[in-house]
Amino acid sequence: MRAGGAPAILEDVTTESRALVLGGGGVTGVGWEIGLLCGLAAAGVVVADADVVVGTSAGSVVGAQVCGGVPLDELYERQLASPTGEVAARIGLGVLVGFAASGIGRDARAARARLGRRALRASTVPESQRRAVIESRLPRHEWPLRPRLLVTAVDADTGDAVVWDRDSGVDLVDAVAASCAVPLVWPPMTVNGRRYVDGGVRSPTNADYAAGCSRVVVLAPTTAAVRRSGRVTRQLASLGPEARTVVCTPDAQARAAIGRNVLDPARRAAAARAGHRQAADVAGAVEAVWS
């Protein structure tokens, strides 16, 4: 496990390594990212063959799915299936206020801890129930050998940012469930005796964890960050002038398809179709960085 605010620099990353960064954005973010990846592959731009995949919240689900060996076409079809039995949640005003408060103060770690401790006191569904939902979304429950998958989270008590990979001694389902634990909406998840919340508490993309890679493609359902240090543009700039990068975000049609509630499974299929359609518009820019 790598902890703290500094980027995780992998020992096996070379100057020619390519990173795919998958940001947070709820169940609709999962759909949009899968649709975009599938559409890019159909256009001949296969970014799923990255050396490093950084997954935050929804992006950790997508990362685990894509790295699990299931064909993108099959993953895309799953996004189009009826969400029967899935419960919609909502990021209400209290959650937004809580996130905004995590941007107050000079000490980012302490601010994250304040939000994390509020999450520990919040009344939500049981951990076991939430973990089962995440487990059902992952086609494989073992860490992939390649590409190197990084899953982000935040310690609910200390505010420490953490990154897990296959060498961390952490179960993949536990890691993804923690990365998706939106504070005040879902319960903080227990991993090796500690409780963790959503990796998006640090940053919606955590793109700086791609440090050391020369080509970086970011799929970001949202780029809103409460702190400058969490903004994707600032994080990509930290990678250095030689890193070639591109950020893909939902266009106007995709935003309309996603709607106002990113935690509503009923919007997932529309978001996936919107991502698939948008791929044709961004394929050239992505290929210019990736190839």
Side-chain angles (χ1 to χ4, degrees):
M1 178 176 69
R2 297 170 176 83
I9 300 177
L10 302 176
E11 295 79 3
D12 54 356
V13 164
T14 70
T15 56
E16 293 303 314
S17 293
R18 299 180 296 180
L20 172 62
V21 176
L22 301 166
V27 292
T28 57
V30 172
W32 178 80
E33 288 181 4
I34 289 290
L36 190 62
L37 288 170
C38 188
L40 285 171
V45 186
V46 185
V47 293
D49 63 357
D51 300 293
V52 177
V53 174
V54 180
T56 294
S57 197
S60 72
V61 175
V62 176
Q65 290 178 338
V66 168
C67 297
V70 180
L72 279 172
D73 286 345
E74 182 176 332
L75 293 176
Y76 177 62
E77 289 301 320
R78 291 183 184 184
Q79 295 303 306
L80 304 182
S82 171
T84 303
E86 295 190 47
V87 178
R90 180 174 293 277
I91 298 177
L93 179 61
V95 178
L96 295 176
V97 170
F99 268 91
S102 70
I104 298 174
R106 299 184 64 179
D107 189 333
R109 177 176 171 272
R112 292 194 297 263
R114 287 195 297 271
L115 178 57
R117 288 193 290 269
R118 282 190 62 194
L120 289 169
R121 298 191 300 268
S123 177
T124 63
V125 301
E127 268 191 77
S128 58
Q129 179 179 327
R130 179 60 181 163
R131 187 187 187 279
V133 170
I134 299 300
E135 185 175 33
S136 70
R137 292 176 179 169
L138 304 187
R140 303 283 187 273
H141 298 157
E142 301 78 30
W143 288 90
L145 294 179
R146 285 193 61 82
R148 177 62 65 89
L149 175 63
L150 307 182
V151 174
T152 71
V154 169
D155 188 301
D157 186 57
T158 66
D160 284 325
V162 300
V163 184
W164 292 304
D165 62 14
R166 63 177 181 249
D167 299 324
S168 299
V170 170
D171 180 89
L172 176 62
V173 177
D174 288 342
V176 174
S179 190
C180 294
V182 181
L184 311 178
V185 176
W186 303 121
M189 302 301 296
T190 302
V191 180
N192 292 347
R194 297 197 63 82
R195 305 284 296 283
Y196 294 89
V197 294
D198 198 307
V201 171
R202 177 182 184 264
S203 164
T205 63
N206 290 295
D208 52 340
Y209 287 122
C213 295
S214 61
R215 288 169 282 175
V216 182
V217 170
V218 182
L219 307 190
T222 179
T223 58
V226 295
R227 288 182 179 273
R228 291 180 182 177
S229 59
R231 295 174 184 172
V232 64
T233 52
R234 189 181 183 95
Q235 292 183 338
L236 290 178
S238 75
L239 302 183
E242 295 184 359
R244 295 158 55 190
T245 67
V246 63
V247 180
C248 301
T249 60
D251 61 15
Q253 286 182 259
R255 291 194 300 272
I258 289 169
R260 295 183 178 181
N261 183 11
V262 300
L263 301 181
D264 185 358
R267 309 289 298 190
R268 183 180 59 205
R273 291 189 180 95
H276 198 285
R277 174 203 53 77
Q278 187 181 348
D281 296 330
V282 301
V286 173
E287 184 176 27
V289 167
W290 204 248
S291 300

